Amino acid sequence: MKIKSIAIKSAGVMLALALALSAVMFAGCGSKSTSTSSEQEKTSAISASPKSTSTSGDAYEGDVAIPDNAVKGTITVKNYGDIEFALLPDIAPKTVANFEKLVKSGFYDGLTFHRIMDGFMIQGGDPLGTGMGGSEEKVEGEFSENGFDNKLSHVRGVMSMARSQDVNSASSQFFIVHKDSQFLDGQYAAFGVVTKGMSVVDKIAADAKPTDGNGTISAENQPVIEKITINE
């Protein structure tokens, strides 16, 4: 599936920021897919007027508190360090359950961040490393445009799911918001927050050398996710 592009209108100027929203799904569960999809979806544009109000802290500083039942874990990125996170099952239970299941199966170990846009987000979790791959299950989109009350805004340090134009197409690809991007609210399933390690995200974003305006990173330059772990 082709990505769903997000066109952003700010102060009368159209800025092209495309969020990686593709996932190829197959029947089954847990294994990595290395097949490309024959299905194609036309890209669509969403106009909005985002505010750049992000902080420079090392963790999420938004309005949603981290509850006692948060699922905590760590993303270890080769040559960069650890990004600690808390998944919020009260916000997006199906999305959290899917992510946790993939983590515990080792799905993400050795994958990469394949799309990086400094000042926007870093995205990974595609076994193909191209934005066209995913795991073998789709997840229902837990956001307001799909009938879910998701109060987690896409501010700096929020983790959210990438998807195609199909609102229920999220799979394994996820992104971490680098700077406040509330124009995504209601359209993508935010499901967790970074509790420590935004300095790692900052470094990854600063080092990125996209090959185009869409944040595409060449295979040899994609930061490697050595492993993702869940605290037991």
Side-chain angles (χ1 to χ4, degrees), residues 32-77:
K32 300 178 183 180
S33 169
T34 56
S35 300
T36 57
S37 174
S38 60
E39 296 176 322
Q40 297 292 325
E41 290 185 0
K42 294 181 178 180
T43 59
S44 61
I46 301 172
S47 296
S49 298
K51 296 179 181 179
S52 297
T53 57
S54 63
T55 64
S56 58
D58 199 42
Y60 165 79
E61 296 180 355
D63 296 330
V64 174
I66 300 173
D68 291 338
N69 67 340
V71 178
K72 298 181 179 180
T74 303
I75 303 169
T76 300
V77 186

Side-chain angles (χ1 to χ4, degrees), residues 82-106:
D82 291 344
I83 302 169
E84 298 179 15
F85 60 81
L87 310 182
L88 309 179
D90 293 341
I91 296 287
K94 297 177 183 178
T95 305
V96 168
N98 178 71
F99 189 84
E100 184 178 6
K101 178 178 64 178
L102 291 176
V103 168
K104 288 182 176 179
S105 74

Side-chain angles (χ1 to χ4, degrees), residues 124-206:
D126 175 12
L128 298 178
T130 62
M132 296 294 290
S135 64
E136 296 180 338
E137 285 189 356
K138 297 180 182 179
V139 184
E140 190 172 15
E142 294 175 305
F143 45 86
S144 63
E145 287 194 3
N146 202 33
F148 289 85
D149 184 19
N150 188 326
K151 293 182 172 61
L152 185 57
S153 181
H154 287 79
V155 298
R156 175 178 167 86
V158 163
M159 297 172 65
S160 189
M161 293 301 293
R163 65 173 178 86
S164 72
Q165 190 173 358
D166 180 354
V167 294
N168 296 318
S169 62
S171 174
S172 64
Q173 291 190 45
F174 69 97
F175 61 94
I176 300 173
V177 179
H178 183 216
K179 291 190 177 180
D180 294 358
S181 300
Q182 292 96 328
F183 59 94
L184 302 178
D185 291 354
Q187 303 170 69
Y188 306 102
F191 68 101
V193 299
V194 172
T195 56
K196 184 179 179 181
M198 282 303 295
S199 57
V200 174
V201 176
D202 291 339
K203 179 63 173 171
I204 290 171

